[in-house]
Amino acid sequence: MCGIVVTHDVSDQQVEGAPPSAHAAEPGGVGGGDDGEATRMLERISHRGPDGSGSRRVGPTWLGHRRLAIIDVEGGTQPLIDERGNVLVGNGEIYNHAALRAELGPDRFATSSDNETALRAVVAWGPQAIDRLRGMFAFAVAAEDGTLLAARDPLGIKPLYWAREEGRTIFASELRAFPEEVRPLIEAFPPGHWWTRSDGLHPFADLSARGRPFETRDEARDAIRDVVIRAVEDRMMADVEVGVLLSGGLDSSIVAAVAARDAARRGMRLQSFAVGVEGSPDLEAARVVAEALDLDHHERIYTAEEAYNVLDDAVRVIEHFDPALVRSAVPNHLVAELAARHVKVVLTGEGADELFAGYDYLRDVQPEDLEAELLRSVRGLHNLNLQRADRTSMAHGLEARVPFLDLDVIAVAARVPVTWKLPGEHGQEKRLLREAFAEWLPDDILWRRKAQFGDGSGAADALGAAISARLDDADADEQAARHEGLPTPRSAEEAVYQRMFARHLGGIRADKVLGMSPHT
């Protein structure tokens, strides 16, 4: 897990691929020969890679990298360079790198880094190799002939933004990296796409693909259990210890149960981390799970005052102002801070609700519309829940992995007939998922009703006073709406968060980079 910055300036070249000439960037600009501003961009995201940094210029392209050492701790320093001078900087993990490495020929590799596999695959097989990568990633590969390829994983688990103007393209892992003068140009690089200047954007993943529907509930339960177990075990891949963020809800508890079994096979005891206000449901449930699974459990109890104090920082960190996202970001921020004192990698339960219809609002969706709504919500995760999960963890130099968003898990979930996902007016949501892990968790956890993290941890109540204290401006909505690029607030609470967002990231066009949850 890392942070990357890439600047690519061919403004004085006729054709991409021609031998690069000497570049002179405009004063104060980014790209060309202005490595100083690119270096400053990289420093703004130093929290994503506290273990080191590196950079390299390849003709018109400057590539910078901040490193959090997870795999090949000693030898995986980036940028990664092959014998032909091709250079990669990447953020994320390629979980099937061992299989691809064997196919490519292990003797040609200089490191055991999974990101080197991405470099070798793209050089050997071209952009079509990207569809064979399984994991979470955002990377760029520059060549000596002046060409550049950028790519982002199918779900956008790893962040990537870009700003484009004539002849010049800038990439970075976070919005805060970009200089202020570039902010109006920033867009989210689309998940599941690769790009070159000559070929433009190309999709390489189809999340709407559907396989044969399951014929029986038993078949579906077995497939769900098997694929989730494989996904969790794949994400235990690391040369450092892996922990789990444990809310005490169904999804994180399932992940913890599988990870605990895998850790035990390695002779280790899984570490778990939970936060909440005193007496909160999440804290109590997490303790039950930790005891049942014999976890090495850590928790942090926070107060309303602490929630108040971290609110502005949470908005700055997640680079968002959606109220539902901010409320859950406060406990996420605090639990990541706790976990980072003990481990470098954690597993989370993100994604299960989108795959198995876990949200309350889905009870009102008509059966014929549910499949499309679930697909829409999965596609929209990259600039909502996944953005929160990435930013709150990486703010503390912590990598968060999301087993439920493995492509194979998504494919299995898509085969479940939509009528089997419907909870009914009073039924239990995610019933098939619960039944699939019936022997793995205590019944009171297995059948616990869904609670949003901000609610279950007590953050929503704790933030009530904090929000009220900031609603002393009668023109809050109008003032927030005047910030360039921000939409009219949907509530006074959102107006508060918008003002915080604008103070830290003024000038960014929200419609180009952010998603908005259906309920505030």
Side-chain angles (χ1 to χ4, degrees):
M1 187 69 65
C2 308
I4 64 173
V5 168
V6 178
T7 69
H8 181 64
D9 188 351
V10 293
S11 54
D12 62 347
Q13 288 181 223
Q14 294 294 316
V15 180
E16 185 183 24
S21 58
H23 292 263
E26 299 175 5
V30 181
D34 187 13
D35 295 354
E37 181 57 63
T39 300
R40 289 188 287 275
M41 287 182 65
L42 192 63
E43 275 304 304
R44 294 183 195 120
I45 56 172
S46 59
H47 51 277
R48 296 187 69 90
D51 294 331
S53 66
S55 65
R56 190 175 182 90
R57 172 164 288 283
V58 185
T61 306
W62 184 95
L63 304 98
H65 183 264
R66 293 292 315 198
R67 187 179 188 218
L68 178 65
I70 303 294
I71 296 173
D72 193 7
V73 173
E74 298 299 326
T77 300
Q78 295 189 34
L80 292 163
I81 307 164
D82 74 4
E83 59 279 355
R84 293 189 231 170
N86 298 298
V87 181
L88 174 143
V89 288
N91 169 28
E93 310 290 350
I94 310 300
Y95 299 119
N96 65 333
H97 75 102
L100 294 175
R101 183 180 293 255
E103 187 173 347
L104 287 161
D107 292 343
R108 65 197 305 180
F109 284 77
T111 75
S112 58
S113 168
D114 56 304
N115 275 273
E116 188 183 355
T117 305
L119 171 61
R120 299 285 180 178
V122 167
V123 171
W125 301 327
Q128 59 267 30
I130 299 168
D131 194 33
R132 301 184 61 184
L133 305 178
R134 291 294 178 265
M136 51 182 188
F137 55 83
F139 64 79
V141 178
E144 290 281 2
D145 65 0
T147 57
L148 175 72
L149 177 145
R152 190 179 183 192
D153 69 70
L155 288 156
I157 300 172
K158 289 297 97 195
L160 189 63
Y161 300 97
W162 59 345
R164 292 174 287 174
E165 51 189 352
E166 189 64 33
R168 181 177 298 160
T169 309
I170 312 165
F171 300 86
S173 296
E174 294 188 12
L175 295 171
R176 73 182 74 183
F178 293 86
E180 287 190 25
E181 64 270 17
V182 177
R183 286 177 178 177
L185 302 176
I186 304 172
E187 299 178 273
F189 189 91
H193 285 72
W194 59 265
W195 171 90
T196 66
R197 186 175 296 279
S198 58
D199 295 327
L201 276 169
H202 279 256
F204 66 86
D206 182 8
L207 297 179
S208 64
R210 294 287 186 270
R212 173 188 63 82
F214 292 113
E215 296 179 359
T216 69
R217 294 177 70 91
D218 284 346
E219 182 188 19
R221 280 190 292 266
D222 290 346
I224 291 169
R225 184 187 313 110
D226 290 346
V227 76
V228 170
I229 289 172
R230 288 199 304 272
V232 173
E233 291 177 346
D234 283 349
R235 281 152 185 80
M236 296 293 284
M237 176 189 80
D239 292 333
V240 295
E241 189 172 356
V242 178
V244 63
L245 300 186
L246 184 61
S247 71
L250 175 71
D251 309 332
S252 66
S253 298
I254 287 174
V255 170
V258 178
R261 188 182 73 170
D262 186 83
R265 283 199 294 259
R266 306 177 192 212
M268 302 173 67
R269 191 174 176 221
L270 183 71
Q271 296 195 65
S272 58
F273 307 93
V275 295
V277 300
E278 185 69 55
S280 62
D282 278 5
L283 272 183
E284 297 293 336
R287 290 167 187 162
V288 171
V289 175
E291 183 176 358
L293 300 178
D294 189 30
L295 307 180
D296 182 5
H297 190 58
H298 310 268
E299 65 181 28
R300 175 177 177 178
I301 298 173
Y302 63 86
T303 65
E305 182 180 5
E306 287 176 305
Y308 180 97
N309 290 337
V310 81
L311 185 59
D312 185 79
D313 201 35
V315 172
R316 178 187 62 82
V317 163
I318 67 172
E319 301 186 325
H320 216 304
F321 52 77
D322 180 87
L325 220 59
V326 174
R327 292 185 215 116
S328 56
V330 168
N332 265 167
H333 191 51
L334 294 172
V335 76
E337 183 180 46
L338 169 66
R341 298 175 193 150
H342 301 271
V343 297
K344 284 189 172 184
V345 183
V346 289
L347 308 184
T348 82
E350 301 285 350
D353 290 316
E354 287 76 12
L355 297 179
F356 297 102
Y359 293 117
D360 276 347
Y361 87 90
L362 294 172
R363 294 174 181 271
D364 299 325
V365 176
Q366 295 302 308
E368 62 271 20
D369 298 326
L370 182 59
E371 187 172 303
E373 173 58 19
L374 293 178
L375 180 60
R376 183 207 63 79
S377 65
V378 169
R379 285 174 169 165
L381 279 171
H382 69 98
N383 53 17
L384 284 167
N385 291 4
L386 287 175
Q387 181 168 327
R388 167 185 47 76
D390 172 82
R391 300 298 201 285
T392 54
S393 57
M394 291 308 297
H396 302 286
L398 180 72
E399 174 174 305
R401 298 178 177 177
V402 285
F404 278 110
L405 293 177
D406 182 281
L407 293 181
D408 289 339
V409 177
I410 293 173
V412 166
R415 295 176 56 197
V416 175
V418 69
T419 55
W420 296 358
K421 295 181 180 180
L422 295 170
E425 184 179 355
H426 303 293
Q428 190 78 40
E429 76 281 356
K430 298 184 288 191
R431 177 171 289 275
L432 267 179
L433 180 61
R434 297 173 193 272
E435 292 173 352
F437 287 90
E439 304 301 321
W440 292 67
L441 296 167
D443 281 350
D444 53 344
I445 299 298
L446 189 70
W447 297 102
R448 184 188 177 200
R449 286 297 297 267
K450 166 73 178 176
Q452 297 291 344
F453 189 34
D455 297 328
S457 69
D461 291 339
L463 287 174
I467 295 165
S468 297
R470 295 173 186 263
L471 294 179
D472 54 359
D473 187 343
D475 298 321
D477 285 4
E478 289 76 13
Q479 288 190 18
R482 291 192 192 109
H483 292 303
E484 184 180 355
L486 299 189
T488 301
R490 296 171 293 175
S491 66
E493 180 187 2
E494 185 165 278
V496 171
Y497 302 148
Q498 281 196 2
R499 291 199 298 277
M500 295 177 184
F501 179 90
R503 186 162 60 251
H504 298 297
L505 293 165
I508 287 175
R509 294 190 54 83
D511 60 324
K512 299 293 186 181
V513 297
L514 303 181
M516 303 303 291
S517 62
H519 300 284
T520 61

